[in-house]
Amino acid sequence: MLSTGALRAHLLAARLAGPVATSREESLRSYRLFAARDPRILLGLDPEWNWGAGDLLRLMADKCGVSGDPRHTSGVDVIDPERTLAGLEAFAERLQDAARRRLPILIGTGHPHRLLGFYAALADALSAAGCSVLTPAQGCCVDITTRFGLRTYNLDYVQGVALLREPGVRPTGSETGAHSHSPLPVRRVLAAQAASGGPLPELVIGDHGWVCGAGQLGFEAIGLADTDDPALFVGEAEGRVSVVVPLDDAVRSDYYRPLTRYVLNRACLSQ
């Protein structure tokens, strides 16, 4: 069993928390774009409140532990490991409740290269506990506007985790999917599940548009977010996202394994 102290040390050593790779410039740019209602940063959320860049900075200082000083405009950003630990505790509580009630679950990621292993372990544990891990719309196409123009991606599932693939790409040992912020995949998946008459998810787990897109549609959603992803924290503040864990979402995939063990243990889902 990994202790809280050992996990805190790991968060700092792996730069999942503390000084992280996300730059202050990246974070502040995201806050400005969110305030301007740029859909690339909204991630499918339609904020109810009027969020200015200063409001977002104060929110992120509270939720993540970034510096709330607007004069701090460059360098690395910082995540308070205590806030990460608190987020993981709340995340584990939601998993435990879902397992106890055997809820239907949907899991999806826009960071498959980094986070697929983390989510796959959750899918496996929840399935073993009696939850239905839903996989609707597999193989369907999703058209997403990118900086390169309109591109078509294919929905796929790996070990119960939804992700996008570039058209024509076949999975190999190292290729896991495309990086995406879009809420369109989760909208397509939820629509397909509704059309099939099957059970709708009672908990959506993931990041980026998977969480915000589901939360905006009224589904309970929990996930992970970096300092340059204010949409998830706004969703949490406005009551449309249940739990957000602040951490760097783009470190080496094996650095998330201790988090997986910790969360599953706290949720009483260790196998």
Side-chain angles (χ1 to χ4, degrees):
M1 175 179 172
L2 189 68
S3 70
T4 301
L7 181 60
R8 182 187 296 107
H10 172 73
L11 292 172
L12 294 170
R15 296 189 67 184
L16 285 155
V20 294
T22 308
S23 71
R24 181 69 167 182
E25 293 91 335
E26 288 177 90
S27 296
L28 294 178
R29 177 178 178 271
S30 291
Y31 307 160
R32 291 192 298 270
L33 291 173
F34 188 98
R37 300 292 179 111
D38 189 312
R40 296 172 298 174
I41 307 300
L42 293 177
L43 308 182
L45 194 72
D46 182 14
E48 294 181 4
W49 306 342
N50 184 26
W51 293 89
D55 302 316
L56 291 163
L57 181 58
R58 288 186 288 273
L59 175 73
M60 297 301 283
D62 177 57
K63 295 289 189 179
C64 294
V66 305
S67 171
D69 186 352
R71 297 169 296 180
H72 178 200
T73 59
S74 62
V76 299
D77 231 329
V78 175
I79 295 174
D80 178 6
E82 297 305 322
R83 288 171 169 84
T84 304
L85 290 168
L88 290 170
E89 289 287 346
F91 191 95
E93 288 177 8
R94 285 298 197 282
L95 295 181
Q96 184 177 30
D97 179 66
R100 178 180 58 81
R101 297 164 58 196
R102 297 187 176 182
L103 301 180
I105 306 291
L106 176 66
I107 306 177
T109 181
H111 266 299
H113 290 82
R114 308 298 185 184
L115 292 168
L116 179 60
F118 174 80
Y119 294 123
L122 302 186
D124 186 53
L126 289 166
S127 177
C131 295
S132 296
V133 179
L134 306 176
T135 58
Q138 181 159 12
C140 287
C141 296
V142 182
D143 294 327
I144 298 176
T145 301
T146 73
R147 59 181 175 170
F148 306 108
L150 190 67
R151 302 190 69 170
T152 299
Y153 295 87
N154 298 320
L155 270 164
D156 197 7
Y157 289 85
V158 177
Q159 296 176 266
V161 182
L163 50 82
L164 293 179
R165 293 197 190 278
E166 298 276 0
V169 171
R170 295 182 179 277
T172 65
S174 60
E175 192 278 325
T176 54
H179 179 231
S180 171
H181 286 220
S182 176
L184 296 179
V186 75
R187 292 175 187 166
R188 181 65 184 272
V189 163
L190 292 170
Q193 185 67 5
S196 74
L200 291 172
E202 294 188 47
L203 181 66
V204 178
I205 303 167
D207 46 61
H208 291 172
W210 289 93
V211 171
C212 289
Q216 181 64 37
L217 292 173
F219 293 87
E220 183 174 10
I222 64 175
L224 316 178
D226 209 331
T227 60
D228 60 348
D229 290 327
L232 283 86
F233 297 99
V234 169
E236 186 179 39
E238 292 190 348
R240 272 167 290 169
V241 175
S242 294
V243 175
V244 186
V245 182
L247 49 70
D248 190 319
D249 59 9
V251 303
R252 282 174 35 178
S253 58
D254 57 312
Y255 288 171
Y256 298 98
R257 289 175 190 160
L259 278 68
T260 306
R261 294 197 299 271
Y262 184 84
V263 164
L264 292 179
N265 182 268
R266 303 297 282 188
C268 300
L269 291 171
S270 298
Q271 298 179 43

PDB file of all heavy atoms in Angstrom, residues 95-122:
ATOM      1  N   LEU A  95     -15.251   6.729  -7.334  1.00  0.00           N
ATOM      2  CA  LEU A  95     -15.066   5.380  -7.877  1.00  0.00           C
ATOM      3  C   LEU A  95     -15.655   4.330  -6.935  1.00  0.00           C
ATOM      4  O   LEU A  95     -16.313   3.384  -7.380  1.00  0.00           O
ATOM      5  CB  LEU A  95     -13.584   5.103  -8.102  1.00  0.00           C
ATOM      6  CG  LEU A  95     -12.838   5.936  -9.142  1.00  0.00           C
ATOM      7  CD1 LEU A  95     -11.394   5.476  -9.224  1.00  0.00           C
ATOM      8  CD2 LEU A  95     -13.507   5.848 -10.505  1.00  0.00           C
ATOM      9  N   GLN A  96     -15.407   4.494  -5.656  1.00  0.00           N
ATOM     10  CA  GLN A  96     -15.922   3.533  -4.684  1.00  0.00           C
ATOM     11  C   GLN A  96     -17.439   3.499  -4.704  1.00  0.00           C
ATOM     12  O   GLN A  96     -18.062   2.427  -4.658  1.00  0.00           O
ATOM     13  CB  GLN A  96     -15.412   3.882  -3.290  1.00  0.00           C
ATOM     14  CG  GLN A  96     -15.815   2.869  -2.217  1.00  0.00           C
ATOM     15  CD  GLN A  96     -15.227   3.206  -0.867  1.00  0.00           C
ATOM     16  OE1 GLN A  96     -14.997   4.366  -0.548  1.00  0.00           O
ATOM     17  NE2 GLN A  96     -14.969   2.186  -0.063  1.00  0.00           N
ATOM     18  N   ASP A  97     -18.061   4.682  -4.780  1.00  0.00           N
ATOM     19  CA  ASP A  97     -19.513   4.757  -4.822  1.00  0.00           C
ATOM     20  C   ASP A  97     -20.049   4.104  -6.097  1.00  0.00           C
ATOM     21  O   ASP A  97     -21.045   3.374  -6.062  1.00  0.00           O
ATOM     22  CB  ASP A  97     -19.958   6.223  -4.755  1.00  0.00           C
ATOM     23  CG  ASP A  97     -21.465   6.368  -4.816  1.00  0.00           C
ATOM     24  OD1 ASP A  97     -22.139   5.927  -3.872  1.00  0.00           O
ATOM     25  OD2 ASP A  97     -21.971   6.909  -5.826  1.00  0.00           O
ATOM     26  N   ALA A  98     -19.381   4.368  -7.237  1.00  0.00           N
ATOM     27  CA  ALA A  98     -19.816   3.762  -8.502  1.00  0.00           C
ATOM     28  C   ALA A  98     -19.723   2.244  -8.440  1.00  0.00           C
ATOM     29  O   ALA A  98     -20.613   1.537  -8.921  1.00  0.00           O
ATOM     30  CB  ALA A  98     -18.971   4.302  -9.648  1.00  0.00           C
ATOM     31  N   ALA A  99     -18.638   1.746  -7.850  1.00  0.00           N
ATOM     32  CA  ALA A  99     -18.469   0.296  -7.749  1.00  0.00           C
ATOM     33  C   ALA A  99     -19.506  -0.316  -6.817  1.00  0.00           C
ATOM     34  O   ALA A  99     -20.077  -1.371  -7.111  1.00  0.00           O
ATOM     35  CB  ALA A  99     -17.057  -0.013  -7.253  1.00  0.00           C
ATOM     36  N   ARG A 100     -19.771   0.361  -5.702  1.00  0.00           N
ATOM     37  CA  ARG A 100     -20.751  -0.156  -4.743  1.00  0.00           C
ATOM     38  C   ARG A 100     -22.139  -0.245  -5.372  1.00  0.00           C
ATOM     39  O   ARG A 100     -22.871  -1.211  -5.153  1.00  0.00           O
ATOM     40  CB  ARG A 100     -20.785   0.756  -3.512  1.00  0.00           C
ATOM     41  CG  ARG A 100     -21.794   0.351  -2.452  1.00  0.00           C
ATOM     42  CD  ARG A 100     -21.775   1.310  -1.268  1.00  0.00           C
ATOM     43  NE  ARG A 100     -22.049   2.680  -1.674  1.00  0.00           N
ATOM     44  CZ  ARG A 100     -23.276   3.162  -1.886  1.00  0.00           C
ATOM     45  NH1 ARG A 100     -24.330   2.367  -1.749  1.00  0.00           N
ATOM     46  NH2 ARG A 100     -23.453   4.414  -2.228  1.00  0.00           N
ATOM     47  N   ARG A 101     -22.461   0.746  -6.212  1.00  0.00           N
ATOM     48  CA  ARG A 101     -23.792   0.796  -6.837  1.00  0.00           C
ATOM     49  C   ARG A 101     -23.820   0.117  -8.203  1.00  0.00           C
ATOM     50  O   ARG A 101     -24.863   0.044  -8.837  1.00  0.00           O
ATOM     51  CB  ARG A 101     -24.227   2.256  -6.958  1.00  0.00           C
ATOM     52  CG  ARG A 101     -24.388   2.941  -5.608  1.00  0.00           C
ATOM     53  CD  ARG A 101     -24.440   4.461  -5.742  1.00  0.00           C
ATOM     54  NE  ARG A 101     -25.531   4.887  -6.609  1.00  0.00           N
ATOM     55  CZ  ARG A 101     -25.623   6.107  -7.151  1.00  0.00           C
ATOM     56  NH1 ARG A 101     -24.662   6.993  -6.924  1.00  0.00           N
ATOM     57  NH2 ARG A 101     -26.646   6.419  -7.913  1.00  0.00           N
ATOM     58  N   ARG A 102     -22.658  -0.365  -8.650  1.00  0.00           N
ATOM     59  CA  ARG A 102     -22.523  -1.033  -9.948  1.00  0.00           C
ATOM     60  C   ARG A 102     -23.098  -0.181 -11.085  1.00  0.00           C
ATOM     61  O   ARG A 102     -23.919  -0.640 -11.886  1.00  0.00           O
ATOM     62  CB  ARG A 102     -23.179  -2.418  -9.908  1.00  0.00           C
ATOM     63  CG  ARG A 102     -22.506  -3.343  -8.903  1.00  0.00           C
ATOM     64  CD  ARG A 102     -23.038  -4.749  -8.981  1.00  0.00           C
ATOM     65  NE  ARG A 102     -22.316  -5.628  -8.068  1.00  0.00           N
ATOM     66  CZ  ARG A 102     -22.538  -6.928  -7.941  1.00  0.00           C
ATOM     67  NH1 ARG A 102     -23.481  -7.516  -8.687  1.00  0.00           N
ATOM     68  NH2 ARG A 102     -21.833  -7.658  -7.100  1.00  0.00           N
ATOM     69  N   LEU A 103     -22.641   1.043 -11.143  1.00  0.00           N
ATOM     70  CA  LEU A 103     -23.135   1.990 -12.133  1.00  0.00           C
ATOM     71  C   LEU A 103     -22.543   1.718 -13.512  1.00  0.00           C
ATOM     72  O   LEU A 103     -21.404   1.253 -13.621  1.00  0.00           O
ATOM     73  CB  LEU A 103     -22.767   3.426 -11.719  1.00  0.00           C
ATOM     74  CG  LEU A 103     -23.289   3.930 -10.377  1.00  0.00           C
ATOM     75  CD1 LEU A 103     -22.823   5.360 -10.142  1.00  0.00           C
ATOM     76  CD2 LEU A 103     -24.807   3.844 -10.331  1.00  0.00           C
ATOM     77  N   PRO A 104     -23.278   2.032 -14.569  1.00  0.00           N
ATOM     78  CA  PRO A 104     -22.671   2.021 -15.907  1.00  0.00           C
ATOM     79  C   PRO A 104     -21.695   3.197 -16.037  1.00  0.00           C
ATOM     80  O   PRO A 104     -21.994   4.320 -15.615  1.00  0.00           O
ATOM     81  CB  PRO A 104     -23.871   2.174 -16.845  1.00  0.00           C
ATOM     82  CG  PRO A 104     -24.960   2.771 -16.007  1.00  0.00           C
ATOM     83  CD  PRO A 104     -24.719   2.334 -14.602  1.00  0.00           C
ATOM     84  N   ILE A 105     -20.530   2.912 -16.613  1.00  0.00           N
ATOM     85  CA  ILE A 105     -19.411   3.861 -16.642  1.00  0.00           C
ATOM     86  C   ILE A 105     -18.982   4.111 -18.082  1.00  0.00           C
ATOM     87  O   ILE A 105     -18.989   3.194 -18.911  1.00  0.00           O
ATOM     88  CB  ILE A 105     -18.201   3.295 -15.859  1.00  0.00           C
ATOM     89  CG1 ILE A 105     -18.594   2.894 -14.439  1.00  0.00           C
ATOM     90  CG2 ILE A 105     -17.038   4.289 -15.846  1.00  0.00           C
ATOM     91  CD1 ILE A 105     -18.936   4.024 -13.536  1.00  0.00           C
ATOM     92  N   LEU A 106     -18.571   5.334 -18.373  1.00  0.00           N
ATOM     93  CA  LEU A 106     -17.913   5.652 -19.637  1.00  0.00           C
ATOM     94  C   LEU A 106     -16.576   6.295 -19.320  1.00  0.00           C
ATOM     95  O   LEU A 106     -16.493   7.193 -18.480  1.00  0.00           O
ATOM     96  CB  LEU A 106     -18.765   6.613 -20.469  1.00  0.00           C
ATOM     97  CG  LEU A 106     -18.144   7.105 -21.781  1.00  0.00           C
ATOM     98  CD1 LEU A 106     -17.981   5.957 -22.770  1.00  0.00           C
ATOM     99  CD2 LEU A 106     -18.976   8.227 -22.385  1.00  0.00           C
ATOM    100  N   ILE A 107     -15.526   5.824 -19.975  1.00  0.00           N
ATOM    101  CA  ILE A 107     -14.184   6.372 -19.756  1.00  0.00           C
ATOM    102  C   ILE A 107     -13.603   6.774 -21.101  1.00  0.00           C
ATOM    103  O   ILE A 107     -13.642   5.997 -22.066  1.00  0.00           O
ATOM    104  CB  ILE A 107     -13.256   5.340 -19.076  1.00  0.00           C
ATOM    105  CG1 ILE A 107     -13.897   4.806 -17.787  1.00  0.00           C
ATOM    106  CG2 ILE A 107     -11.892   5.954 -18.782  1.00  0.00           C
ATOM    107  CD1 ILE A 107     -13.078   3.740 -17.092  1.00  0.00           C
ATOM    108  N   GLY A 108     -13.060   8.002 -21.177  1.00  0.00           N
ATOM    109  CA  GLY A 108     -12.454   8.457 -22.424  1.00  0.00           C
ATOM    110  C   GLY A 108     -11.325   9.420 -22.158  1.00  0.00           C
ATOM    111  O   GLY A 108     -11.333  10.154 -21.159  1.00  0.00           O
ATOM    112  N   THR A 109     -10.344   9.436 -23.045  1.00  0.00           N
ATOM    113  CA  THR A 109      -9.190  10.317 -22.853  1.00  0.00           C
ATOM    114  C   THR A 109      -8.763  11.009 -24.136  1.00  0.00           C
ATOM    115  O   THR A 109      -8.803  10.420 -25.217  1.00  0.00           O
ATOM    116  CB  THR A 109      -7.994   9.539 -22.265  1.00  0.00           C
ATOM    117  OG1 THR A 109      -6.897  10.443 -22.073  1.00  0.00           O
ATOM    118  CG2 THR A 109      -7.548   8.410 -23.178  1.00  0.00           C
ATOM    119  N   GLY A 110      -8.350  12.256 -23.982  1.00  0.00           N
ATOM    120  CA  GLY A 110      -7.702  12.986 -25.056  1.00  0.00           C
ATOM    121  C   GLY A 110      -6.193  12.947 -24.937  1.00  0.00           C
ATOM    122  O   GLY A 110      -5.490  13.565 -25.731  1.00  0.00           O
ATOM    123  N   HIS A 111      -5.692  12.223 -23.932  1.00  0.00           N
ATOM    124  CA  HIS A 111      -4.251  12.060 -23.698  1.00  0.00           C
ATOM    125  C   HIS A 111      -3.872  10.583 -23.702  1.00  0.00           C
ATOM    126  O   HIS A 111      -3.292  10.078 -22.740  1.00  0.00           O
ATOM    127  CB  HIS A 111      -3.867  12.654 -22.347  1.00  0.00           C
ATOM    128  CG  HIS A 111      -3.379  14.061 -22.387  1.00  0.00           C
ATOM    129  ND1 HIS A 111      -2.256  14.452 -23.082  1.00  0.00           N
ATOM    130  CD2 HIS A 111      -3.871  15.186 -21.815  1.00  0.00           C
ATOM    131  CE1 HIS A 111      -2.076  15.755 -22.925  1.00  0.00           C
ATOM    132  NE2 HIS A 111      -3.043  16.227 -22.171  1.00  0.00           N
ATOM    133  N   PRO A 112      -4.191   9.846 -24.771  1.00  0.00           N
ATOM    134  CA  PRO A 112      -3.948   8.393 -24.726  1.00  0.00           C
ATOM    135  C   PRO A 112      -2.485   8.009 -24.580  1.00  0.00           C
ATOM    136  O   PRO A 112      -2.171   6.976 -23.977  1.00  0.00           O
ATOM    137  CB  PRO A 112      -4.531   7.898 -26.059  1.00  0.00           C
ATOM    138  CG  PRO A 112      -4.532   9.092 -26.946  1.00  0.00           C
ATOM    139  CD  PRO A 112      -4.802  10.261 -26.047  1.00  0.00           C
ATOM    140  N   HIS A 113      -1.579   8.812 -25.116  1.00  0.00           N
ATOM    141  CA  HIS A 113      -0.168   8.448 -25.028  1.00  0.00           C
ATOM    142  C   HIS A 113       0.335   8.461 -23.585  1.00  0.00           C
ATOM    143  O   HIS A 113       1.294   7.763 -23.254  1.00  0.00           O
ATOM    144  CB  HIS A 113       0.677   9.394 -25.877  1.00  0.00           C
ATOM    145  CG  HIS A 113       0.477   9.216 -27.347  1.00  0.00           C
ATOM    146  ND1 HIS A 113      -0.576   9.794 -28.021  1.00  0.00           N
ATOM    147  CD2 HIS A 113       1.161   8.498 -28.259  1.00  0.00           C
ATOM    148  CE1 HIS A 113      -0.507   9.458 -29.299  1.00  0.00           C
ATOM    149  NE2 HIS A 113       0.533   8.671 -29.470  1.00  0.00           N
ATOM    150  N   ARG A 114      -0.280   9.283 -22.757  1.00  0.00           N
ATOM    151  CA  ARG A 114       0.185   9.427 -21.378  1.00  0.00           C
ATOM    152  C   ARG A 114      -0.717   8.716 -20.373  1.00  0.00           C
ATOM    153  O   ARG A 114      -0.225   8.132 -19.406  1.00  0.00           O
ATOM    154  CB  ARG A 114       0.238  10.919 -21.007  1.00  0.00           C
ATOM    155  CG  ARG A 114       1.013  11.781 -21.979  1.00  0.00           C
ATOM    156  CD  ARG A 114       2.471  11.371 -22.064  1.00  0.00           C
ATOM    157  NE  ARG A 114       3.231  12.275 -22.921  1.00  0.00           N
ATOM    158  CZ  ARG A 114       4.509  12.116 -23.240  1.00  0.00           C
ATOM    159  NH1 ARG A 114       5.171  11.068 -22.767  1.00  0.00           N
ATOM    160  NH2 ARG A 114       5.127  12.974 -24.017  1.00  0.00           N
ATOM    161  N   LEU A 115      -2.034   8.780 -20.579  1.00  0.00           N
ATOM    162  CA  LEU A 115      -2.970   8.401 -19.524  1.00  0.00           C
ATOM    163  C   LEU A 115      -3.759   7.129 -19.794  1.00  0.00           C
ATOM    164  O   LEU A 115      -4.585   6.732 -18.975  1.00  0.00           O
ATOM    165  CB  LEU A 115      -3.945   9.559 -19.268  1.00  0.00           C
ATOM    166  CG  LEU A 115      -3.301  10.800 -18.643  1.00  0.00           C
ATOM    167  CD1 LEU A 115      -4.255  11.992 -18.705  1.00  0.00           C
ATOM    168  CD2 LEU A 115      -2.911  10.509 -17.200  1.00  0.00           C
ATOM    169  N   LEU A 116      -3.526   6.480 -20.931  1.00  0.00           N
ATOM    170  CA  LEU A 116      -4.290   5.280 -21.244  1.00  0.00           C
ATOM    171  C   LEU A 116      -4.145   4.215 -20.164  1.00  0.00           C
ATOM    172  O   LEU A 116      -5.126   3.595 -19.749  1.00  0.00           O
ATOM    173  CB  LEU A 116      -3.858   4.719 -22.600  1.00  0.00           C
ATOM    174  CG  LEU A 116      -4.568   3.431 -23.043  1.00  0.00           C
ATOM    175  CD1 LEU A 116      -6.069   3.652 -23.142  1.00  0.00           C
ATOM    176  CD2 LEU A 116      -4.007   2.949 -24.375  1.00  0.00           C
ATOM    177  N   GLY A 117      -2.948   3.987 -19.685  1.00  0.00           N
ATOM    178  CA  GLY A 117      -2.729   2.971 -18.664  1.00  0.00           C
ATOM    179  C   GLY A 117      -3.479   3.267 -17.375  1.00  0.00           C
ATOM    180  O   GLY A 117      -4.038   2.367 -16.744  1.00  0.00           O
ATOM    181  N   PHE A 118      -3.499   4.529 -16.975  1.00  0.00           N
ATOM    182  CA  PHE A 118      -4.219   4.940 -15.765  1.00  0.00           C
ATOM    183  C   PHE A 118      -5.697   4.612 -15.902  1.00  0.00           C
ATOM    184  O   PHE A 118      -6.291   3.958 -15.036  1.00  0.00           O
ATOM    185  CB  PHE A 118      -4.005   6.442 -15.544  1.00  0.00           C
ATOM    186  CG  PHE A 118      -4.813   7.020 -14.409  1.00  0.00           C
ATOM    187  CD1 PHE A 118      -4.393   6.870 -13.093  1.00  0.00           C
ATOM    188  CD2 PHE A 118      -5.983   7.711 -14.651  1.00  0.00           C
ATOM    189  CE1 PHE A 118      -5.136   7.406 -12.040  1.00  0.00           C
ATOM    190  CE2 PHE A 118      -6.733   8.249 -13.620  1.00  0.00           C
ATOM    191  CZ  PHE A 118      -6.309   8.098 -12.309  1.00  0.00           C
ATOM    192  N   TYR A 119      -6.302   5.046 -17.008  1.00  0.00           N
ATOM    193  CA  TYR A 119      -7.733   4.824 -17.194  1.00  0.00           C
ATOM    194  C   TYR A 119      -8.061   3.351 -17.420  1.00  0.00           C
ATOM    195  O   TYR A 119      -9.105   2.868 -16.969  1.00  0.00           O
ATOM    196  CB  TYR A 119      -8.252   5.650 -18.368  1.00  0.00           C
ATOM    197  CG  TYR A 119      -8.189   7.140 -18.148  1.00  0.00           C
ATOM    198  CD1 TYR A 119      -7.499   7.958 -19.032  1.00  0.00           C
ATOM    199  CD2 TYR A 119      -8.825   7.737 -17.063  1.00  0.00           C
ATOM    200  CE1 TYR A 119      -7.448   9.334 -18.850  1.00  0.00           C
ATOM    201  CE2 TYR A 119      -8.775   9.103 -16.868  1.00  0.00           C
ATOM    202  CZ  TYR A 119      -8.081   9.902 -17.762  1.00  0.00           C
ATOM    203  OH  TYR A 119      -8.028  11.263 -17.580  1.00  0.00           O
ATOM    204  N   ALA A 120      -7.199   2.640 -18.124  1.00  0.00           N
ATOM    205  CA  ALA A 120      -7.453   1.216 -18.376  1.00  0.00           C
ATOM    206  C   ALA A 120      -7.499   0.428 -17.076  1.00  0.00           C
ATOM    207  O   ALA A 120      -8.310  -0.486 -16.916  1.00  0.00           O
ATOM    208  CB  ALA A 120      -6.393   0.652 -19.316  1.00  0.00           C
ATOM    209  N   ALA A 121      -6.637   0.786 -16.130  1.00  0.00           N
ATOM    210  CA  ALA A 121      -6.653   0.101 -14.830  1.00  0.00           C
ATOM    211  C   ALA A 121      -7.960   0.376 -14.085  1.00  0.00           C
ATOM    212  O   ALA A 121      -8.517  -0.508 -13.427  1.00  0.00           O
ATOM    213  CB  ALA A 121      -5.458   0.545 -13.994  1.00  0.00           C
ATOM    214  N   LEU A 122      -8.468   1.609 -14.201  1.00  0.00           N
ATOM    215  CA  LEU A 122      -9.753   1.929 -13.576  1.00  0.00           C
ATOM    216  C   LEU A 122     -10.873   1.125 -14.226  1.00  0.00           C
ATOM    217  O   LEU A 122     -11.755   0.594 -13.529  1.00  0.00           O
ATOM    218  CB  LEU A 122     -10.051   3.421 -13.701  1.00  0.00           C
ATOM    219  CG  LEU A 122      -9.047   4.420 -13.125  1.00  0.00           C
ATOM    220  CD1 LEU A 122      -9.609   5.843 -13.226  1.00  0.00           C
ATOM    221  CD2 LEU A 122      -8.685   4.082 -11.695  1.00  0.00           C
TER     222      LEU A 122
END
